[in-house]
């Protein structure tokens, strides 16, 4: 007896309509296995997750016929728990937030953005850094300089000038010219118009460089030549440790 197309076992590529499948769905998310229902996955119709399981299949399956999603499987359990019971996760917040953004589950995204962790990052810290000119570009420049100085060394240092106001920037200009004449690379941050202080920005720099996998510390830069003001007011040396 031939098997109708509606009852063929799932292969590596699903070809039939999802309406013909069992309401119970098996998933392989980044190697983690889950079992749930179509109605749970489609709970928020406007989400990317719901679209994956609406109409024609948009996912491949693994060798066992489970729908495969190439995302971190560890955090999908929190996504699934929210879809099942509206329970907002209280752990792994940053990682779950990334997954909520990927699956485009708007109610979960909004609730996570109200959590202290995401609120502090998005509303407080990121809004501050958006007011520091060329912040992201300067972070990348620091890393390039440190890597260039790392040959046969355990540590490499990058001089950073941090100025909060236009007046501070003017005061630093002679020192910057002196360092330039000595052929020393300096990465300049600021000025900015926001409440956070120089020490707050230094903490942000360290945080964001460490987030890229580097081991880093900083200390006031002691100038070899005398400046007209105390160099540690605006100049710092970031040390990258390689081994």
């Amino acid at each position: 007896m031939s098997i109708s197309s509606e009852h063929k076992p799932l292969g590596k590529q699903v070809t039939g309509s999802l309406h013909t499948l069992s309401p119970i769905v098996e998933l392989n998310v980044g190697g983690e296995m889950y079992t749930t229902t179509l109605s749970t996955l489609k709970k928020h119709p406007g989400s990317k997750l719901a679209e994956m399981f609406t109409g024609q299949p948009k996912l491949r399956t693994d060798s066992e016929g489970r729908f495969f999603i190439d995302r971190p499987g560890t955090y999908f359990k929190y996504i699934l728990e929210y879809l099942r019971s509206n329970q907002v996760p209280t752990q792994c917040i940053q990682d779950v937030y990334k997954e909520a953004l990927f699956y485009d589950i708007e109610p979960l995204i909004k609730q996570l953005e109200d959590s202290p962790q995401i609120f502090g990052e998005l509303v407080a810290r990121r809004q501050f850094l958006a007011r520091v000119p060329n912040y992201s570009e300067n972070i990348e420049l620091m890393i390039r300089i440190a890597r260039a100085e790392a040959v046969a060394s355990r540590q490499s240092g990058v001089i950073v000038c941090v100025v909060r106001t236009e007046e501070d920037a003017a005061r630093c200009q002679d020192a910057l010219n002196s360092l330039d004449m000595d052929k020393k690379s300096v990465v300049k941050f600021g000025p900015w118009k926001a409440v956070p202080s120089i020490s707050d920005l230094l903490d942000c720099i360290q945080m964001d460089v460490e987030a890229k996998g580097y081991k880093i510390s900083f200390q006031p830069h002691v100038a070899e030549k005398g400046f007209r003001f105390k160099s540690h007011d605006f100049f710092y040396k970031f040390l990258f440790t390689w081994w």
Side-chain angles (χ1 to χ4, degrees), residues 133-232:
N134 304 313
Y135 177 81
S136 297
E137 293 84 350
N138 284 341
I139 293 291
E140 296 300 328
L141 178 57
M142 284 180 62
I143 292 171
R144 288 200 300 273
I145 294 172
R147 292 176 69 93
E149 299 287 337
V151 179
S153 301
R154 183 171 188 180
Q155 289 184 322
S156 54
V158 179
I159 301 174
V160 169
C161 174
V162 184
V163 290
R164 184 175 176 183
T165 67
E166 295 288 353
E167 291 77 9
D168 291 341
R171 291 176 63 197
C172 288
Q173 195 56 52
D174 286 345
L176 289 169
N177 292 338
S178 176
L179 289 166
D180 184 58
M181 290 178 62
D182 291 339
K183 299 187 183 302
K184 292 185 178 179
S185 299
V186 181
V187 181
K188 179 173 169 287
F189 288 84
W192 63 86
K193 295 181 180 179
V195 173
S197 65
I198 286 177
S199 63
D200 293 326
L201 182 65
L202 292 170
D203 288 341
C204 287
I205 293 171
Q206 181 173 13
M207 184 186 309
D208 288 329
V209 173
E210 287 179 339
K212 295 179 180 293
Y214 296 92
K215 184 177 181 180
I216 190 175
S217 61
F218 66 88
Q219 61 193 32
H221 173 59
V222 179
E224 296 176 3
K225 296 182 179 181
F227 294 158
R228 295 181 182 177
F229 53 85
K230 293 183 293 183
S231 62
H232 63 257

Side-chain angles (χ1 to χ4, degrees), residues 14-75:
V14 179
T15 58
S17 170
L18 283 163
H19 296 296
T20 67
L21 300 179
S22 167
I24 307 300
V25 180
E26 292 187 344
L27 301 173
N28 176 346
V29 185
E32 299 281 341
M33 310 307 164
Y34 295 93
T35 302
T36 185
T37 65
L38 276 176
S39 60
T40 295
L41 296 171
K42 296 164 64 176
K43 183 174 181 180
H44 297 285
S47 70
K48 181 177 178 180
L49 184 62
E51 290 178 358
M52 291 178 181
F53 296 92
T54 301
Q56 288 298 113
K58 301 172 180 65
L59 296 171
R60 297 185 68 86
T61 59
D62 64 14
S63 59
E64 300 298 321
R66 293 174 291 232
F67 287 105
F68 179 72
I69 302 176
D70 193 13
R71 295 293 296 179
T74 303
Y75 311 114

Side-chain angles (χ1 to χ4, degrees), residues 25 34-37 40-41 43-44 76-87:
V25 180
Y34 295 93
T35 302
T36 185
T37 65
T40 295
L41 296 171
K43 183 174 181 180
H44 297 285
F76 190 74
K77 64 182 178 182
Y78 301 108
I79 299 293
L80 204 53
E81 186 59 34
Y82 176 78
L83 295 174
R84 288 168 172 163
S85 61
N86 291 323
Q87 180 175 328

Side-chain angles (χ1 to χ4, degrees), residues 46-49 52 71 79 93-110 112-113 118 122:
S47 70
K48 181 177 178 180
L49 184 62
M52 291 178 181
R71 295 293 296 179
I79 299 293
I93 300 296
Q94 297 280 357
D95 294 303
V96 176
Y97 180 68
K98 292 177 184 177
E99 297 310 297
L101 287 173
F102 173 78
Y103 294 115
D104 195 21
I105 304 173
E106 191 65 30
L108 177 57
I109 292 171
K110 290 181 178 179
L112 288 173
E113 287 179 347
I118 304 298
L122 294 181

